[in-house]
Amino acid sequence: MATTYTTTDARPPDSRTEALRALLNRRYRFLDRKWDIVFWATAVFVVAAAADITKLLFAGDWDFWTDWKDRQWWPIITPFAVIIIPSALQYIQWLAWRMPTGATYTALCLAVASWIGRIVQWDWFAGFPLNFVWPVSIIAAAIWLDWVLLKTKSMVLTSLIGGFGFALILWFANYITLAPFLQPMEWMGLPMTVADVQGIEYVRAQTPEYLRMIEHGSLRTFLGETQYVSLAFGGTLAVAGYWIGQAIARGLAIWPIGRYIKKF
Amino acid sequence: MAQTVSSPPRLRERDQGPAHRPGRGPTDWLGGWRTMFVACGLLLASFLALRVYQQFYAWYNEAGLNAASPDFKKYWFSLFVILVLLAGAISVAWWGWLVITGRKLIDKPVSRNEEVRRIAVFWGLVAATSLTLYFMASFFPNQDGVWHQTLVRDTALTPSHIVMFFWAFPLGITMTVGTYLYGRYRLPAVYGPEKGFPWSFFFLIAASITEMMQVAMNEWGHSLWITEEIFAAPFHWPFVTYGWLASGIFALWAETAGRLLQLEEQEAEKATVEASAA
Amino acid sequence: MRRILSRLFVVPAIALAVLLLAPAPSANAHGETAQEAFLRMGTVSFWDVKFSATEVEQGEQLKVTGTAKILETWPEQLGEPELGFIGVVAPGPVVIIKERKINGAPAPHAIEVHKGGVYNFEITIAGRRPGRWHVHPIFGIHGAGSLLGPGQYIEVKESGKAFTNPVKLASGQVVDLEKVGMGDVAFWAVVWLVVGLVWLLYWIVPKRTVARLPVTSQIPLNTDGMEYGLITKRDHKAMNVIMAVTLVLLAGGWIYQARAYPEKMPQQVLRFEPEPVAMTPSFVQAKATEVRYDDATHTVTMIVDVKNTGTRPATLQGFTTTTLTFPTAGVAEPVDGRSMTVSPSPTVAPGQATKLTLTISDHVWREERLIPIGESRMQITGVLRFKDDAGAENFVTVQSFITSLSA
């Protein structure tokens, strides 16, 4: 670890560079690895909290049930909701530690929190089968976001390239697990998907079917292209969501550092 | 920083911290970090115990299904009263203790060891706040979601609300305000009164307080206006703001890490002086 | 201080322990009694609700049948009823719905409804989770929420074998609806967790974190700090590998799903307006003119102007409101021990116009919070059931403000 700063630049480093290199490897008396462990381990909770509440309250219904994971609304609402906190953490961790980890870290926290929620509350408490209430995984999309930041070193480029790709990868990764639920079957002689039948059979009295915001068809659904226009729009919304995350990180996490309200 | 001196002759043992005991130093797990384990352990135990209680008495034995029933009063309304009073009592007791003892400590010189220990305790309290935020914003909201999407809405005092709104949410205020009071009196170099009120804590405390206010709006809306349960309804969106305001917690880590680095500088200067003297 | 704190925890802990040791309670409501009485009474009425069994094994089926009517008195503040959904409410999916017919037609999803609409429902449910569960039919109306019909305890007995819910796919394959697709979901959840953890641990285990702050705080945002050793070429290479693995996994997963599940279609929306129910021509008119409530005797007294416009004698069979039915004493058997008295006589001759006094003394008015005392509209609504001597039935909605209250 101590010698990983070597660079191919043949020019001799100036004194400031030398000083910063030395500073990176400086040994401290109090600042041991325990501070790192505590930071990474205890930030899990607040990051999971922020990411999950943002997902639950912006896109919760689409995340709760397979019969809501449709091709019109799910691909636009979910990426917008789930990119906000990864974007914020990406800024914080890149700025503070220069690590391209914020999005992946958030995605892991969210995955654990979501699964605890679904297992402990939706399954153990309410008795819904997990294959009806599984949450989306945003980890693959988050890795993409972190990788784009590492390569571009730019929040603007990451928002544009990373944000758009985030929405696409999110859908690709989760469509793989949604596929078995889109298989056709019959229910009382009517064709529908396995997901629809789950929605009918597993009693959820206060979420009547008419609340389900999914594709109903429209006179302007041209050439059956619902999926593609939704993905494209989802990508652009993710870019917008990315900047909400940036505003949170810059305005609420970083800006307040060392600032005080002098009179209150 | 005026309070910090490198070799204060008049420091009492308690101000020096327990650094002299092996394994109880400022950055030892059983030293400075002990508060983190104790605080997180107590909070976790309370949340999990209440979750177990919900499993038995909320749904499957039906005691929590009807707020107009005598069983509800026995199993849930009583718990609601206990939790609200307990949260209030814990807050007053802890905040009071922090202020009363803090006033005696704030002007006393403090060793670097002790200040580092206090920063570790502070990070422990931040950890406990973070844990509370998780139960407020993810663990119990998941239950509230499945409760409302499955059962007919029934007053503001459903079993899922009682635990979330009236235990986890108030504890959010207890923890954020308490952590500030700890910083104000015990880490004056960072949060001392002469600096003003830190924006970081303003956002973090605002997070937990707006959450409580949003409870009131939520119940008004569901009682008199919104009848159905779409979790992603715009009406619920204000709850998100507190997840965002909680970002202020990162500023706390940064501010105290900055102070830690200052102390390291002082430590290094002292070592240089000692080396040149030798 | 510690002593105070320990007391703070011990007292509630003891209180909780006492509560936990108390015998298990029972209840048969799902929160509907907390709703305002005049709304519950004035929105939807249920009658002839029957459960074909009260005890089933896991997987065994029973039928819930009955009639629900969106009353003409539907309150204006709830908006016009347009979409509805008839189902059941229970403490979660302890039962599953296997079939649903409304007015004889399969109705998997929501239906288009209107004020005054009458809906005969037939819901086949099957036991899923062992236990004794209170199950109600429920009518959700978009914008208003869910309204409950009369409930019944259903005992679901353990079948002795693990519960499965086999369904047949269009491909002919039979799958268990409880588990289908879960293997894929769990597999990919673990795969992504592992890949994500590898990415994260690569950074946070070998490298220090907080100690980087003195350096990062001195350099611009748009640099990876390679010259200071913050991010190295090796880091870049390692991340390229993980990114490539992620893309390969995505491609592999995509190919897998396309081959494993070649037939797919979007979720379906199957809504329709049920055919109207054939109703008996009207042979009786009724209008409530006065309702009094006496709290001391828990008695509701309703004066109703009745006119028999038919050619046969018509008899008032009973009064139905919310989840309750009060059959006329001497005419029909009491339901759950409930009945009402009608004077001077429940039978009205053809062509006769008369004033009937309906008297219902029952604690249930208070227990179910059905007397709208303290509400913004003190109104009683319900449905009168008349039958002529040939067996034809009329259901007439009556509504009146409470005209006298001795509470």
Side-chain angles (χ1 to χ4, degrees):
Chain A
M1 178 57 218
T3 54
T4 50
Y5 57 79
T6 50
T7 161
T8 51
D9 192 340
R11 287 172 301 171
D14 59 26
S15 59
R16 182 171 178 270
T17 307
E18 285 290 3
L20 287 176
R21 275 187 197 173
L23 190 54
L24 184 67
N25 296 295
R26 179 174 162 182
R27 294 291 146 194
Y28 295 100
R29 183 178 163 209
F30 302 114
L31 192 54
D32 56 17
R33 290 303 311 265
K34 292 197 197 77
W35 298 86
D36 297 349
I37 295 170
V38 169
F39 169 76
W40 288 106
T42 63
V44 164
F45 300 114
V46 67
V47 172
D52 204 18
I53 197 74
T54 307
K55 180 177 79 167
L56 290 176
L57 296 177
F58 285 158
D61 309 80
W62 288 271
D63 201 50
F64 295 154
W65 319 102
T66 53
D67 63 334
W68 278 66
K69 290 181 167 64
D70 76 325
R71 58 184 190 177
Q72 181 179 343
W73 295 105
W74 184 50
I76 64 163
I77 289 171
T78 305
F80 170 78
V82 299
I83 201 174
I84 293 173
I85 302 301
S87 159
L89 265 290
Q90 201 173 46
Y91 180 80
I92 293 167
Q93 295 188 358
W94 180 260
L95 180 80
W97 322 131
R98 202 50 45 99
M99 290 183 182
T101 47
T104 309
Y105 179 70
T106 310
L108 288 166
C109 296
L110 180 63
V112 174
S114 300
W115 276 105
I116 289 176
R118 299 308 152 86
I119 292 169
V120 175
Q121 313 293 22
W122 297 73
D123 185 0
W124 293 355
F125 185 73
F128 285 100
L130 279 175
N131 71 340
F132 181 32
V133 297
W134 52 273
V136 299
S137 173
I138 71 163
I139 296 171
I143 286 175
W144 162 259
L145 206 60
D146 277 338
W147 184 78
V148 173
L149 175 64
L150 175 67
K151 293 293 144 186
T152 63
K153 309 175 208 67
S154 155
M155 298 292 164
V156 174
L157 291 176
T158 305
S159 74
L160 295 171
I161 306 165
F164 200 88
F166 181 92
L168 295 185
I169 292 179
L170 181 67
W171 183 78
F172 269 88
N174 288 283
Y175 189 82
I176 296 169
T177 43
L178 182 65
F181 303 96
L182 297 181
Q183 297 180 93
M185 60 175 282
E186 267 186 28
W187 198 86
M188 286 195 79
L190 297 166
M192 55 187 78
T193 63
V194 170
D196 288 310
V197 175
Q198 287 183 306
I200 296 164
E201 292 209 0
Y202 296 106
V203 173
R204 80 196 146 171
Q206 201 63 359
T207 315
E209 192 276 334
Y210 53 69
L211 292 180
R212 200 164 54 132
M213 265 182 264
I214 65 162
E215 179 191 8
H216 287 189
S218 88
L219 285 174
R220 285 161 189 78
T221 308
F222 304 118
L223 293 176
E225 63 193 5
T226 311
Q227 185 73 80
Y228 309 106
V229 288
S230 294
L231 279 175
F233 185 41
T236 57
L237 276 184
V239 175
Y242 189 89
W243 283 99
I244 295 177
Q246 291 291 303
I248 292 168
R250 291 163 193 241
L252 301 173
I254 301 302
W255 177 84
I257 296 171
R259 287 178 196 262
Y260 302 87
I261 306 169
K262 298 291 183 198
K263 286 179 184 171
F264 66 97
Chain B
M1 289 220 279
Q3 292 84 6
T4 309
V5 290
S6 47
S7 54
R10 289 173 287 103
L11 281 180
R12 288 185 304 158
E13 191 182 293
R14 58 173 289 178
D15 301 323
Q16 293 270 20
H20 59 287
R21 290 175 60 189
R24 300 291 176 103
T27 61
D28 284 329
W29 289 126
L30 293 177
W33 294 113
R34 193 179 45 182
T35 304
M36 177 175 74
F37 295 113
V38 174
C40 290
L42 284 174
L43 287 163
L44 194 65
S46 81
F47 293 134
L48 295 183
L50 287 166
R51 175 62 187 75
V52 171
Y53 186 83
Q54 286 176 321
Q55 188 76 19
F56 287 104
Y57 294 98
W59 193 315
Y60 285 118
N61 84 339
E62 302 186 336
L65 295 181
N66 177 12
S69 71
D71 280 333
F72 187 91
K73 284 190 177 59
K74 181 172 154 192
Y75 285 85
W76 290 102
F77 191 75
S78 53
L79 181 72
F80 160 72
V81 173
I82 290 171
L83 292 182
V84 168
L85 293 178
L86 193 58
I90 289 171
S91 304
V92 170
W94 186 42
W95 295 347
W97 179 80
L98 284 169
V99 172
I100 292 165
T101 55
R103 278 182 171 175
K104 293 178 191 156
L105 282 176
I106 190 163
D107 293 326
K108 291 219 172 89
V110 62
S111 69
R112 274 191 291 278
N113 263 354
E114 171 61 5
E115 196 171 351
V116 169
R117 187 192 70 84
R118 289 181 188 179
I119 294 174
V121 171
F122 182 86
W123 277 41
L125 295 176
V126 171
T129 305
S130 176
L131 183 82
T132 310
L133 287 165
Y134 161 71
F135 279 92
M136 290 164 75
S138 175
F139 188 82
F140 288 121
N142 263 287
Q143 184 187 63
D144 199 46
V146 76
W147 179 286
H148 286 309
Q149 300 220 315
T150 313
L151 293 173
V152 176
R153 186 170 269 276
D154 174 23
T155 81
L157 295 182
T158 51
S160 67
H161 283 186
I162 287 171
V163 173
M164 178 170 66
F165 288 170
F166 303 106
W167 180 245
F169 282 17
L171 282 189
I173 299 176
T174 311
M175 289 310 304
T176 50
V177 173
T179 306
Y180 168 66
L181 292 175
Y182 185 90
R184 186 180 189 278
Y185 290 105
R186 283 161 171 83
L187 294 170
V190 190
Y191 300 115
E194 74 287 348
K195 288 177 174 292
F197 191 81
W199 275 100
S200 50
F201 271 112
F202 179 86
F203 289 139
L204 192 60
I205 294 171
S208 51
I209 289 177
T210 52
E211 192 71 346
M212 252 356 274
M213 289 162 67
Q214 172 60 15
V215 167
M217 178 183 144
N218 188 62
E219 294 315 311
W220 174 80
H222 280 299
S223 298
L224 303 168
W225 178 32
I226 304 274
T227 52
E228 284 160 333
E229 293 300 338
I230 296 179
F231 218 62
F235 175 62
H236 284 157
W237 293 350
F239 275 119
V240 176
T241 53
Y242 105 106
W244 297 359
L245 284 166
S247 306
I249 204 168
F250 285 95
L252 303 186
W253 278 311
E255 285 161 348
T256 44
R259 177 62 188 159
L260 196 59
L261 290 164
Q262 282 178 354
L263 294 172
E264 291 282 5
E265 283 304 314
Q266 291 175 10
E267 197 70 16
E269 279 166 25
K270 183 186 134 205
T272 313
V273 169
E274 282 172 1
S276 59
Chain C
M1 189 64 212
R2 271 193 188 157
R3 210 185 307 159
I4 295 169
L5 275 178
S6 64
R7 272 185 203 161
L8 282 175
F9 283 100
V10 166
V11 172
I14 292 170
L16 277 183
V18 170
L19 284 179
L20 285 165
L21 290 171
S26 71
N28 56 9
H30 290 267
E32 74 279 10
T33 49
Q35 295 167 346
E36 284 173 294
F38 84 93
L39 283 178
R40 278 190 283 154
M41 290 192 278
T43 45
V44 169
S45 188
F46 286 83
W47 60 79
D48 291 338
V49 173
K50 289 189 181 68
F51 291 74
S52 67
T54 53
E55 209 177 278
V56 287
E57 270 197 359
Q58 282 178 288
E60 201 184 332
Q61 297 185 350
L62 72 116
K63 274 188 171 35
V64 185
T65 54
T67 301
K69 178 179 181 181
I70 301 179
L71 298 180
E72 302 84 346
T73 51
W74 182 264
E76 45 61 44
Q77 73 270 34
L78 297 182
E80 198 65 18
E82 286 173 349
L83 272 176
F85 182 81
I86 298 177
V88 295
V89 64
V94 292
V95 294
I96 46 177
I97 293 178
K98 296 305 291 182
E99 212 177 86
R100 173 169 37 221
K101 282 184 185 166
I102 294 174
N103 294 352
H109 286 158
I111 51 171
E112 290 163 33
V113 297
H114 57 89
K115 208 190 269 189
V118 177
Y119 307 94
N120 293 326
F121 57 87
E122 183 185 314
I123 305 168
T124 305
I125 58 177
R128 178 166 178 261
R129 188 179 175 127
R132 185 166 176 264
W133 314 116
H134 208 255
V135 179
H136 293 251
I138 191 165
F139 203 157
I141 308 280
H142 198 196
S146 296
L147 301 147
L148 274 78
Q152 168 81 53
Y153 271 106
I154 305 291
E155 181 94 32
V156 178
K157 295 203 299 193
E158 210 151 355
S159 64
K161 50 189 185 231
F163 176 76
T164 57
N165 185 10
V167 292
K168 196 172 171 187
L169 303 180
S171 63
Q173 192 193 348
V174 176
V175 295
D176 180 4
L177 202 61
E178 299 271 314
K179 295 199 172 73
V180 61
M182 194 57 211
D184 296 285
V185 171
F187 174 81
W188 287 99
V190 172
V191 165
W192 296 127
L193 267 177
V194 170
V195 178
L197 269 176
V198 170
W199 179 287
L200 183 69
L201 295 179
Y202 175 90
W203 289 95
I204 69 175
V205 173
K207 297 174 195 288
R208 294 195 294 178
T209 306
V210 183
R212 288 160 83 93
L213 195 57
V215 182
T216 56
S217 59
Q218 296 185 53
I219 61 171
L221 185 69
N222 299 100
T223 164
D224 58 7
M226 194 177 277
E227 59 269 48
Y228 320 114
L230 281 166
I231 295 178
T232 65
K233 290 216 159 191
R234 184 173 164 268
D235 297 338
H236 273 274
K237 279 184 196 152
M239 294 306 106
N240 290 346
V241 170
I242 301 177
M243 186 69 245
V245 168
T246 304
L247 294 176
V248 167
L249 282 169
L250 279 172
W254 193 261
I255 294 165
Y256 159 77
Q257 67 80 20
R259 289 193 178 169
Y261 310 106
E263 277 187 63
K264 294 187 283 290
M265 64 179 195
Q267 285 92 339
Q268 300 295 299
V269 181
L270 299 146
R271 292 180 186 168
F272 67 101
E273 184 172 358
E275 292 290 323
V277 177
M279 299 294 284
T280 313
S282 169
F283 58 78
V284 66
Q285 293 170 355
K287 191 173 185 310
T289 54
E290 200 180 320
V291 171
R292 295 190 298 272
Y293 176 67
D294 179 9
D295 198 42
T297 56
H298 317 286
T299 301
V300 167
T301 309
M302 187 185 287
I303 313 285
V304 186
D305 288 344
V306 178
K307 186 175 183 189
N308 185 343
T309 56
T311 55
R312 293 168 171 280
T315 304
L316 176 56
Q317 302 287 313
F319 176 70
T320 298
T321 189
T322 67
T323 59
L324 305 172
T325 295
F326 302 94
T328 307
V331 174
E333 287 298 309
V335 174
D336 298 331
R338 292 189 187 105
S339 64
M340 70 170 177
T341 57
V342 178
S343 65
S345 162
T347 303
V348 185
Q352 186 194 355
T354 184
K355 257 190 206 308
L356 298 185
T357 303
L358 285 48
T359 310
I360 307 171
S361 294
D362 203 315
H363 286 280
V364 77
W365 293 114
R366 273 293 198 183
E367 285 161 10
E368 295 271 318
R369 303 182 71 254
L370 280 175
I371 296 300
I373 295 169
E375 293 180 6
S376 54
R377 282 196 209 183
M378 297 214 289
Q379 211 164 20
I380 299 271
T381 314
V383 170
L384 296 175
R385 181 182 201 140
F386 290 92
K387 197 178 195 176
D388 71 14
D389 60 358
E393 290 190 306
N394 266 193
F395 295 86
V396 186
T397 307
V398 288
Q399 182 173 55
S400 170
F401 291 105
I402 294 179
T403 45
S404 161
L405 190 68
S406 47

